[in-house]
Structure formats: structure tokens, C-alpha cells
Amino acid sequence: MIEVLHYTKRYGTHAAVSDLSFSVRPGELFGLLGSNGAGKTTTIRALVGLTRPTGGTVRVAGFDVWADPVRAKRSFGYIPDRPYLYGKLTARELLRFVGQLYAVPGADREIDRWLELFRLTDFGNELVETYSHGMRQKVAIIAAMLPDPPVLIVDEPMVGLDPHAARQVRELFRAHADRGRSVLLTTHSLPLAEAVCDRLVVLDRGRVLASGTMGDLRAQTATEAGGVMGESLERIFFRLLEEEQEEERRRRELAETA
């Protein structure tokens, strides 16, 4: 449902992402992990049609995002880390607009259900500009999921959410994937990624350090970095970064002595 093939994005001489390839299958919740500047949001922006790749191909639901943008964008819901919503609309008005745009059957009934789920029923007729950040994030999540998209692309969804809503969202993403949809998630919350993701890619400065299931990552770090089987994703993540930093130090030393 998502295909990223040899994706590269450069800004001048700086490579934000280099030769990245991965796929997200139907029924899979896939995690894209990395520190700030690793290339996660750059990759997400390419998938949703906001940043043109320097090289490679990105496809959603079989459609090239840049060659066939309309059909590609019809097939996914997008939850950005900093959602922009029309502040002069109420939540109901904004969600009705989304429902009409995607021709959602029984949209008003579905909107009521979603607002109740996120405890926003009493605020549904208030202007979005009066909402807290967490409330706006909830509306952005509803807007992305209201059309029941076959692909869901999510960039740091938990920012500003209270613990109850964060748990709801985690369960919603897992349930969405379990219904045969594809979910791509970026997050700095390693416990969240470990709890819900079927497979993961760990990025650092635009390059892949490791990929696979938790079992695959544990096996890789146990073999290559002296780790032990059964380690948490947090331990694996920092072990991979330490190994990469050490490798970078060796490369600099070789370059200086050459």
C-alpha cells in the first residue's frame, strides 16, 4: 500500500534522505524512527505530496504521488505533527467539509460518533480557533480517519494529547491496520512504537541503520553491537546510534590520515 523506492532528498549539497527504500503492506502498522533531523518528516512530506523527491519513487495505494497526485491523495489520510485547521469554522463544519469532499456515507452520524469518542461533543459547535492544541489534534485525527482511508500517514500524533486520548489513538491505529489498512507512523515515543508497530525502520541523518520486526532488530544488535536478545526498542535504538557514531568517528580518522 506504501512503496518508497530509492528515495533521496537533497537541499543543495545536504542529503536529508539518501537512497531510502521500504514498503508498508496491507494490515501492517509500520514505524519510521529516528532522532531530530533523521529524515522522518522529510519522507512523510514526500509521501503526502508536499516535497518533491530529488530521486527515487514514492507510491501510495499503487499511485505515484507526483505522477498521479489526485488518485494518490484520495487514498490516504494524513495527520501532521502540527495540524493547520480552519480556525473560523466549528469542528462540525470542518468535519462536514471533509465528509463532503470524500463523499462519506452518513457523514453527520459518523461525525457525531467521532466527536463523542474524543469527548468533543460539547465543543463541536465552537470555533476551532478557540480549541487547545490537544483538541485541535483530536479534530485533525478525526478528519484523517473519517473517510476510512486505505492508507493512514501519521507524523508524531501524540503531541498535546492527554493520556486517555493517547491510549484511544494508539488503539485506533492498531484497529485500523487490523482491518487490512496500512498505517505509517513516525514517533519519538519508542515505547509506543514497540507496543504497536509490526515492523520498523531506524533512520539517522537520512540513512537506514536497521529495519525489520522487533525480533529482527534484536537479532541485529545482539550480533553486531554486543547486545542481548529481549532488549527494549529504546536500548536497541541508542545502541544503533552509538554504533553509527563510532563508525563515523572511524571514518573521520581514516580521512584525516589518508
Side-chain angles (χ1 to χ4, degrees):
M1 298 292 275
I2 295 177
E3 293 178 287
V4 177
L5 302 172
H6 305 292
Y7 167 61
T8 297
K9 180 62 181 179
R10 293 190 183 89
Y11 296 96
T13 59
H14 172 66
V17 180
S18 299
D19 197 28
L20 175 62
S21 295
F22 66 87
S23 62
V24 185
R25 299 184 289 261
E28 189 170 52
L29 203 162
F30 189 94
L32 195 61
L33 308 180
S35 304
N36 291 334
K40 305 183 304 297
T41 295
T42 300
T43 302
I44 292 291
R45 289 174 64 85
L47 281 166
V48 300
L50 294 176
T51 301
R52 185 181 293 275
T54 305
T57 304
V58 289
R59 296 191 184 97
V60 177
F63 304 114
D64 186 298
V65 174
W66 288 95
D68 199 351
V70 174
R71 287 199 288 180
K73 291 174 183 179
R74 278 188 188 140
S75 65
F76 66 77
Y78 173 45
I79 304 171
D81 58 339
R82 296 177 183 174
Y84 176 81
L85 304 174
Y86 298 108
K88 295 301 182 182
L89 296 179
T90 68
R92 287 185 187 278
E93 289 171 338
L94 189 149
L95 294 172
R96 282 173 182 154
F97 170 72
V98 172
Q100 291 170 1
L101 191 64
Y102 286 89
V104 176
D108 284 345
R109 182 178 65 254
E110 286 297 300
I111 290 167
D112 288 341
R113 182 178 68 83
W114 280 105
L115 290 176
E116 182 178 358
L117 178 69
F118 280 110
R119 302 180 179 181
L120 291 175
T121 300
D122 293 341
F123 305 95
N125 295 321
E126 301 293 329
L127 294 179
V128 170
E129 68 181 7
T130 68
Y131 280 21
S132 68
H133 177 75
M135 293 168 70
R136 293 185 189 196
Q137 187 73 1
K138 292 176 182 179
V139 173
I141 292 168
I142 295 172
M145 299 193 73
L146 181 64
D148 192 23
V151 175
L152 190 61
I153 299 172
V154 189
D155 192 3
E156 292 293 346
M158 304 303 182
V159 177
L161 294 182
D162 58 75
H164 180 266
R167 179 179 178 181
Q168 282 183 305
V169 169
R170 183 171 66 246
E171 292 172 349
L172 283 169
F173 292 164
R174 182 68 263 172
H176 198 69
D178 289 344
R179 292 173 52 237
R181 273 65 172 163
S182 299
V183 181
L184 174 63
L185 169 71
T186 74
T187 179
H188 287 300
S189 174
L190 298 178
L192 168 66
E194 183 173 359
V196 302
C197 292
D198 301 304
R199 289 190 301 128
L200 309 112
V201 162
V202 179
L203 297 178
D204 183 59
R205 288 173 292 180
R207 293 181 291 114
V208 175
L209 297 187
S211 63
T213 65
M214 277 298 301
D216 295 334
L217 298 184
R218 285 174 177 138
Q220 177 175 330
T221 53
T223 300
E224 296 182 4
V228 297
M229 298 302 290
E231 282 191 320
S232 69
L233 179 57
E234 183 175 50
R235 291 284 299 274
I236 291 169
F237 180 81
F238 287 114
R239 192 180 297 280
L240 288 166
L241 291 185
E242 289 166 4
E243 281 291 300
E244 177 62 18
Q245 289 168 0
E246 179 62 22
E247 183 62 28
E248 180 64 24
R249 184 187 65 79
R250 293 193 194 101
R251 287 194 292 264
R252 285 199 303 267
E253 289 178 350
L254 286 173
E256 290 171 358
T257 58

